[in-house]
Amino acid sequence: AEPEIADAEYDLLVRELEQLEEAHPELARPDSPTRQVGGEISDTFAPVEHRVPMTSLDNAMDRDELLAWGERVAKGLDEGETVRFTCELKIDGLAVSLRYENGVFVQAATRGDGRVGEDVTANVATIVAVPKKLPAPSPEVLEVRGEVYLPIEAFERLRAAKEAENLERLAAGRKPEPVPVNPRNAGAGSLRQKDSAVTASRGLSFWSYQLGEVVGGPDFTSHHDTLAFLRDVGFPVNPAIALVDSLDDVVQFCEKW
């Protein structure tokens, strides 16, 4: 959680590496960053094996790449089938999976490497935005996936507190501690604290956007229906979501934001 370069710069380097590996597959390494979904698993928390793997999002860097993706989607449809697109914002935080059994929150895990994550149940339980109990009737198992994030206001409070603390440390002849550089990494660090009381003090929040394992729950035919379900049973869903009929509308959504 201490980045040395900007996320956009990192993404471009990964894209360059992907192109090099595609051109020279014999040089591709099994430990390449292009083959890693998430980060390394910390031994601070107990491991949690995801019953449904937590994959990461692909990206499109410009309009042409977005349109090319849309064409691939269209080719995968049955003849005569139409497609609509759900547009939503990508919140920069830490991906987590929340497990509910018969409507009761029982476990939270980070994405980790996509197959195995870290048990952060005690810390996630301190986040007010995360429901602890769902309305009845509830599925036997409902795994809700989303993003734990640090709101900008909370990030600014954290920075100010750390800067004030560093002044006191310097006055006492002690070495200052690092000041958080951005909300994403500060949020990740806040969630992965050994002491859940520290996590509780940071003001983390949560947006839901996907389902993992579901047992005894409804079947959905669209992503938009999934988001509506999550909102209806009490999960925070980002309000800036739009259902559109064409890729041109998707482009307009992107350009607006």
Side-chain angles (χ1 to χ4, degrees):
E2 296 179 3
E4 297 179 2
I5 61 175
D7 289 344
E9 186 178 349
Y10 178 86
D11 289 343
L12 289 173
L13 289 171
V14 172
R15 175 64 65 89
E16 181 182 357
L17 180 56
E18 288 174 341
Q19 293 170 348
L20 288 169
E21 290 177 341
E22 186 176 343
H24 306 281
E26 73 281 3
L27 299 179
R29 295 164 53 100
D31 61 349
S32 170
T34 63
R35 303 188 183 189
Q36 307 302 314
V37 170
E40 296 180 356
I41 308 301
S42 167
D43 57 9
T44 303
F45 304 96
V48 174
E49 185 172 351
H50 298 300
R51 291 172 174 81
V52 177
M54 288 188 73
T55 54
S56 60
L57 293 174
D58 201 353
N59 54 27
M61 297 296 191
D62 53 40
R63 185 178 186 276
D64 289 341
E65 289 189 6
L66 180 63
L67 295 178
W69 168 82
E71 290 176 1
R72 293 195 298 273
V73 170
K75 289 178 180 177
L77 298 175
D78 293 331
E79 186 175 352
E81 190 175 9
T82 58
V83 62
R84 305 182 79 191
F85 300 93
T86 302
C87 301
E88 55 187 305
L89 304 183
K90 169 66 174 71
I91 306 302
D92 240 356
L94 186 69
V96 296
S97 185
L98 312 180
R99 184 177 178 85
Y100 292 78
E101 295 180 356
N102 298 311
V104 178
F105 171 61
V106 296
Q107 189 178 64
T110 63
R111 181 169 61 193
D113 64 3
R115 296 181 302 102
V116 179
E118 302 157 324
D119 189 327
V120 288
T121 307
N123 290 355
V124 169
T126 69
I127 301 175
V128 176
V130 172
K132 308 308 182 290
K133 192 172 183 180
L134 306 181
S138 294
E140 180 182 342
V141 174
L142 184 70
E143 208 172 76
V144 176
R145 292 176 173 177
E147 204 88 358
V148 169
Y149 71 99
L150 190 65
I152 292 175
E153 296 82 1
F155 170 68
E156 291 173 345
R157 288 196 301 270
L158 178 61
R159 275 185 61 89
K162 183 60 67 175
E163 289 169 348
E165 179 185 322
N166 280 342
L167 290 176
E168 295 179 359
R169 296 176 70 91
L170 288 170
R174 297 160 62 197
K175 184 179 178 181
E177 294 183 343
V179 177
V181 294
N182 62 51
R184 177 186 186 180
N185 296 94
S190 297
L191 184 65
R192 300 169 81 246
Q193 293 286 322
K194 294 181 181 180
D195 184 354
S196 59
V198 175
T199 299
S201 72
R202 296 289 174 85
L204 293 169
S205 196
F206 175 76
W207 292 119
S208 61
Y209 54 63
Q210 196 175 28
L211 292 174
E213 183 184 24
V214 178
V215 177
D219 292 324
F220 299 107
T221 58
S222 75
H223 180 58
H224 197 264
D225 287 347
T226 301
L227 293 172
F229 167 80
L230 288 169
R231 182 175 54 245
D232 290 345
V233 297
F235 290 95
V237 174
N238 194 286
I241 290 174
L243 183 63
V244 301
D245 295 309
S246 71
L247 276 171
D248 287 337
D249 293 334
V250 176
V251 171
Q252 289 180 16
F253 180 92
C254 295
E255 290 175 344
K256 170 188 172 183
W257 284 99

